[in-house]
Each structure stands twice: as structure tokens, then as C-alpha cells.
Amino acid sequence: MRAFEHFQPSNLKEAIKILSTKDKEARVIAGGTDLLNAMRDGEESPECIVDLKGLKGLDYIKYKEKEGLRIGSLTKLGSIEKSSIVKKKYPVLCQAAHSIGSVQIRNMATIGGNLCNAAPSADMAPALIALEAECKVQGAKGKRTISLEDFFAGPGETVLKKGEILTEIIVPKLAGKCFGVYIKHGLRKAMDIAIAGVCVIITKERGKLKGVRIALGAVAPTPIRAKNAEKILLDGSVSEDAITEAAEEAAKACFPISDVRSSEWYRREIVKVLVRRGLRECLEKV
Ligand SMILES: Cc1cc2nc3c(=O)[nH]c(=O)nc-3n(C[C@H](O)[C@H](O)[C@H](O)COP(=O)(O)OP(=O)(O)OC[C@H]3O[C@@H](n4cnc5c(N)ncnc54)[C@H](O)[C@@H]3O)c2cc1C
């Protein structure tokens, strides 16, 4: 690992100042579970590291009935997994957090790091995209809010500009009766990166289907939403044929790669299976 400068700012303003004024290639570090491995493997060699761990006020989970959920970017995945309010209001987020790595990883890894690392397989992304989450970011030029669906620019790339830090994830309140699932398919049952990750969320109001959201991970350069698949159920009847058609449509939204974990063909096939399974489970339980 090459030598690097290390900064430990005590507040967000200071962190942004260091990041935006350094000429050297600067990176922030949160839990370090992605970045340190990349540095050790020589995939990343920043000249300057800005450690966010000393920042106060970015590690929280807050829920308000009108506004929904707000999660600070330095919140650990383990805290999300165990949060009683998240379990009650957005259990699909606990499910997604639980699917990640091991207890040790989840106790170090942050939600901000999971999103900013921008791995197509990041397990928090499909669940948060399906929940129509937004990201609050702050940089030298001020604050902005970005829909999570627009946050990813490619494998390992986000739309964050130089000096910007992700500060908060906002999950809107869900209307009506709702049920969601996150289904992760990997080579192993534990400690494995997804071959495909599928999140399905169904909402009903007064017994009528109101919303269908399907988001996919690890099957395209970025996590994606399968809107054409959602429309099939929203515009037509909820039959077994419609479920199969929606699953086929979801597979068409994918641009998977073949790699050590899976072939492109298998990823599309498994998306069909997982979307069908997710839709059936949600429709049954909502
Ligand atoms: C053994 C092992 C198993 C794993 N299993 C899984 C798994 O099953 N599923 C999964 O999704 N991931 C998995 N991961 C990956 C990793 O743990 C997660 O992506 C983690 O959430 C990253 O968070 P972090 O805080 O450690 O990020 P860091 O490593 O600190 O940072 C990751 C990247 O995000 C940037 N960053 C971090 N926070 C911010 C911020 N607030 N604003 C701007 N940029 C920021 C950093 O500059 C860096 O580029 C695994 C990792 C390991 C080592």
C-alpha cells in the first residue's frame, strides 16, 4: 500500500474543506470495509484520506410519521438491521442489511459507504431504490438532494462531485398497506456478494393494488428499477400470467455481465425466478 496523508476532521465543514481544496487525489473513509481492501489490493491508491469517523451527528436513525425515515450516512448497517423502528416501518431494509457480510462487517460498514462505493451488487441499493429513497449531499457549494435512482453513474461511480459527502438518506413514508421483500441470490448462503438481488414492494389501499416497485442489483452496471415490469401489474390484472410477464419484463431491464460468480444468461434467468417469487410473496402477504 502506498503512503498517504491522513486527516481526521471533527466536523463536516472541515471535512468538505480538506476534500475540496486538496490538489491531491483525496478520498473519504467511513467504515473502511471497502476502501481499505481496495487499497491493500492496489485497486485504489489515494494520496490523501479524510476519515469521517470523528464526525458527530451523522450516525442516527429518525422516524417521523409525516416525513418518513432519515438515516445518517455514518449509521452502521448493524444498527439498521437491529433498529426497532426500521423493523416496524421498513422491515425490507433490515432484511437487506442482514444479508450483508458478517456481524463484524455490519458493525463496521456504514450505509453511506455501501451506497458511495457504488458496487452494482450493493445490497442496500435495491431496497432503498424500491423505497424511492433520496440522498442528501453536502459540498463546498452547498447542499443538494438526489434521488437514489439517479445517484449511481456506473460500477464504482456516483454523481458525487469533488468534495461532496453523502450526509443523509431519506426514505419517504409509505402510503397504505405495504409489504416488501429483498431476495439475495449468491453462491453461498452467507458472506457472499449477490449474483442478483431483487427487491419487490407492493402497496394496497382499500384492498386495491396501489403500487408495485421492483428494483434489481448486480445485474447491470448500476442498481436499477424495473419500471416496465411494474406497469404490467399496475395496468392489468394480478394473475399468475401477469406475474410471469412482469418477471420476463424485469429480466429485459438487465444488462448483466458474466464473471466468476455467474454467467450473463444465468443472471437474467435468476432475476425472473426472484421477481416471480418476490411478487407472489408480497401479493400473498400484503
Ligand atoms: C468480507 C466482506 C463481505 C462483504 N459483503 C458484502 C455484502 O454481502 N453485500 C454488500 O453490499 N457489501 C458487502 N461488502 C462490502 C462493504 O462492507 C459495504 O459496501 C460497506 O457498506 C461499505 O461501507 P464502509 O463504511 O465500510 O465504506 P468505506 O470502505 O469506508 O467507503 C467505501 C467508499 O465509499 C466512499 N464513502 C464512504 N462514505 C462516504 C460518504 N458519506 N460520502 C461520500 N463518500 C463516501 C469512500 O470514499 C469509498 O470510496 C463486504 C465487504 C467485506 C470486506
Side-chain angles (χ1 to χ4, degrees), residues 27-41:
R27 297 293 293 274
V28 308
I29 193 162
T33 61
D34 275 319
L35 188 61
L36 279 179
N37 281 338
M39 286 169 69
R40 249 185 243 126
D41 294 346

Side-chain angles (χ1 to χ4, degrees), residues 123-139:
D123 286 301
M124 293 311 287
L128 285 165
I129 287 176
L131 287 165
E132 297 185 338
E134 292 184 319
C135 297
K136 260 190 154 177
V137 307
Q138 197 168 325

Side-chain angles (χ1 to χ4, degrees), residues 245-277:
E245 203 189 325
E248 297 275 344
E249 199 58 46
K252 284 185 200 158
C254 306
F255 297 93
I257 53 162
S258 294
D259 63 8
V260 285
R261 288 191 182 83
S262 164
S263 70
E264 176 191 336
W265 172 85
Y266 183 75
R267 281 195 160 98
R268 278 189 211 278
E269 290 304 305
I270 202 70
V271 160
K272 291 181 204 167
V273 173
L274 300 185
V275 169
R276 258 200 317 268
R277 195 179 294 166

Side-chain angles (χ1 to χ4, degrees), residues 4-23:
F4 55 85
E5 270 187 283
H6 183 265
F7 294 87
Q8 186 129 33
S10 56
N11 60 63
L12 192 58
K13 227 172 138 185
E14 201 187 323
I16 291 168
K17 195 172 170 198
I18 300 167
L19 283 169
S20 41
T21 51
K22 279 273 160 202
D23 287 336

